[in-house]
Amino acid sequence: MLGLGLGIGSIALFSACTPTDTAPLADGSPEQGGVLTYFEPQTWTLLYPPSVGFYPNGGIMNNISARLLWQDPKTLELHPWLATELPETNADATSYTFTLRHGVTYSDGTPLTPANVAKNFDLYGKGDEARTLPVSEQISNYERSEVLDDRRVRFHFSAPSPGFAQATSTMNAGLLSDSTLDLDAEGFGPGGAKQIHTCGPFHITDETIGTKLSVRAREDYDWAPPHLKHQGRAHLDGIDYLTNNEYSVRIGAVLSGQADGVRDVQAPDESRVTEQGLRLYAKATNGINNSINFRFRHDLLADLDVRRALIAAVDRQEIVDKLFTPNYPLATGLLAKGAMGYKDQSGSWVYDPATANRLLDKAGWSERNSAGYRVKDGQQLSLTVNIALPQPRSNEVQTLIQQQLRRVGVRLSINPGDQSKQTLDALELDTVQIYHSMVARADFDNLRSNYSSVNRDVFLNGPDRTDADDDSVDPKVDELLDTLAAEPDAKKRQTAAERVQDYLVDQAYVLPFFEEPQVFAFRRRVHGFTTEPVGRPDFYSTWLAGEK
């Protein structure tokens, strides 16, 4: 399968005959050469940088693009990359001036210039409705760009935008050639990959829609972040990104040595991977925790007591203990402990079925039908949750919650369908009332990216929605998030972030489960693997032993 010789019959034999990987683990000196074969559970959908939050998209863009700044995945400090230094910023964070490095080129041979960088951020900051290209959720209050000379570009904002510097370091701000910036959404999608030109260490060379994307090293790449030890060309000759929705195929290929690596190792297989001698990496995503979001605008969730009852009925510890490993620590806040803006809220979600029953009775749901579900005025207390396919074991998590809610008389249905159907259904309040998700960004604005009505809008709280009215929308959510996004002082930003979290907890809008990692497995011949701050793979310094 996919040229790896993976027949279905051979997959069934993996558990019985997979040899232990005994290659040396010591890193030694990097070797140059070889193509890494790497499995993803889902195919990429769009390579327009502001839309690469979906992990299969981001895992590609992070390796083919370069950015103005580079963020340290451990300290979260910002460093120059394609800029020669950190930007000049005015006191209220409404102006940022970058000076660009000389000699940077795109994979189509065109140079990186101030005019080109300005064109990138004019698109990312404003979007283009005619081409169905959205505004970047990471860029707030963007107004315009200004080319100052042959090396400098300045960006202006209509209000403070303190998160902009960090935004320029993410794959969502990967820089594109002028020709690529002229594409529409279809051009950035499957079938158009080879026309996407970037200036990172790898470039796209081949595509088989739905199953494979090939990138190869740029021989002329010589503009890595200056402070990194590794400079120049990538060690690998390239990467083949393979996709197969059958987990047994993906994990079997790596365990058998027919592929080099895989993302999304399921928790029950972690011990199997290590027992076979492979490398296991559980990388923190440092963002909003794996959670369910209660869409309070729906009639059945409008009552605060109902939302609090649902929270009290869910045993988060049982979810973590039954379905996951210590790599998935129980959430102590809406944000992971390593996230900017974190606040410890660990006492906010206590499992207490007796309290859940009392609150539901108080809210008028005291009667039960013949199936044991609560009813009021002839209506059953029945809600639907999506399956978040990018999130680990989402279906199993919701199945367990379904059982827990059943005990207090609440019916939870799990929305069926593939990624496309889940995405479309999640936009409809009458279809999905509880939304399972997470989002990772190493900045305070992570909260705005997830909860704001103008970004991901997990609550469907947008005042301009056709199904919205003044009584159902909660304007305070956006007010608190806008205050956070416009505060330039770091200490005050922390305070603003805590106020957002306090409000969401007080209103019982969110129930977090665990800090979500990205879990990878690699053969022992794979060395130097790392990730960027929110767990996307970074293959620039990765190398394969035995490729000399």
Side-chain angles (χ1 to χ4, degrees), residues 40 130 219 232 240 329 352:
E40 279 280 349
E219 298 295 336
D240 283 342
D352 188 346

PDB file of all heavy atoms in Angstrom, residues 40 130 219 232 240 329 352:
ATOM      1  N   GLU A  40       0.553  10.202   8.375  1.00  0.00           N
ATOM      2  CA  GLU A  40      -0.465  11.026   9.035  1.00  0.00           C
ATOM      3  C   GLU A  40      -1.800  10.279   8.994  1.00  0.00           C
ATOM      4  O   GLU A  40      -2.066   9.538   8.045  1.00  0.00           O
ATOM      5  CB  GLU A  40      -0.636  12.367   8.310  1.00  0.00           C
ATOM      6  CG  GLU A  40       0.406  13.409   8.664  1.00  0.00           C
ATOM      7  CD  GLU A  40       0.099  14.102   9.986  1.00  0.00           C
ATOM      8  OE1 GLU A  40      -1.022  13.922  10.514  1.00  0.00           O
ATOM      9  OE2 GLU A  40       0.976  14.819  10.495  1.00  0.00           O
ATOM     10  N   ALA A 130     -13.415  37.209  -2.057  1.00  0.00           N
ATOM     11  CA  ALA A 130     -13.644  36.794  -3.440  1.00  0.00           C
ATOM     12  C   ALA A 130     -12.925  35.496  -3.766  1.00  0.00           C
ATOM     13  O   ALA A 130     -13.398  34.702  -4.589  1.00  0.00           O
ATOM     14  CB  ALA A 130     -13.194  37.901  -4.393  1.00  0.00           C
ATOM     15  N   GLU A 219      18.611  22.675  -2.056  1.00  0.00           N
ATOM     16  CA  GLU A 219      20.064  22.651  -1.972  1.00  0.00           C
ATOM     17  C   GLU A 219      20.630  24.019  -1.608  1.00  0.00           C
ATOM     18  O   GLU A 219      21.695  24.113  -1.004  1.00  0.00           O
ATOM     19  CB  GLU A 219      20.647  22.181  -3.307  1.00  0.00           C
ATOM     20  CG  GLU A 219      20.235  20.774  -3.714  1.00  0.00           C
ATOM     21  CD  GLU A 219      20.768  19.704  -2.771  1.00  0.00           C
ATOM     22  OE1 GLU A 219      21.800  19.960  -2.099  1.00  0.00           O
ATOM     23  OE2 GLU A 219      20.159  18.617  -2.707  1.00  0.00           O
ATOM     24  N   GLY A 232      22.362  25.951   6.931  1.00  0.00           N
ATOM     25  CA  GLY A 232      22.462  25.412   5.577  1.00  0.00           C
ATOM     26  C   GLY A 232      21.383  24.399   5.253  1.00  0.00           C
ATOM     27  O   GLY A 232      20.310  24.374   5.863  1.00  0.00           O
ATOM     28  N   ASP A 240       8.432  12.000   2.574  1.00  0.00           N
ATOM     29  CA  ASP A 240       7.194  11.560   1.939  1.00  0.00           C
ATOM     30  C   ASP A 240       6.122  11.493   3.012  1.00  0.00           C
ATOM     31  O   ASP A 240       6.188  10.650   3.926  1.00  0.00           O
ATOM     32  CB  ASP A 240       7.361  10.186   1.285  1.00  0.00           C
ATOM     33  CG  ASP A 240       8.116  10.262  -0.032  1.00  0.00           C
ATOM     34  OD1 ASP A 240       8.215  11.365  -0.597  1.00  0.00           O
ATOM     35  OD2 ASP A 240       8.621   9.215  -0.488  1.00  0.00           O
ATOM     36  N   PRO A 329      -2.047  14.446  30.924  1.00  0.00           N
ATOM     37  CA  PRO A 329      -2.392  14.830  32.299  1.00  0.00           C
ATOM     38  C   PRO A 329      -3.762  15.493  32.385  1.00  0.00           C
ATOM     39  O   PRO A 329      -4.172  16.239  31.490  1.00  0.00           O
ATOM     40  CB  PRO A 329      -1.280  15.806  32.686  1.00  0.00           C
ATOM     41  CG  PRO A 329      -0.714  16.290  31.394  1.00  0.00           C
ATOM     42  CD  PRO A 329      -0.874  15.172  30.413  1.00  0.00           C
ATOM     43  N   ASP A 352     -19.733  14.980  40.543  1.00  0.00           N
ATOM     44  CA  ASP A 352     -20.697  14.869  41.638  1.00  0.00           C
ATOM     45  C   ASP A 352     -22.078  14.577  41.057  1.00  0.00           C
ATOM     46  O   ASP A 352     -22.884  15.494  40.835  1.00  0.00           O
ATOM     47  CB  ASP A 352     -20.711  16.162  42.450  1.00  0.00           C
ATOM     48  CG  ASP A 352     -21.548  16.055  43.728  1.00  0.00           C
ATOM     49  OD1 ASP A 352     -22.329  15.079  43.845  1.00  0.00           O
ATOM     50  OD2 ASP A 352     -21.417  16.950  44.585  1.00  0.00           O
TER      51      ASP A 352
END
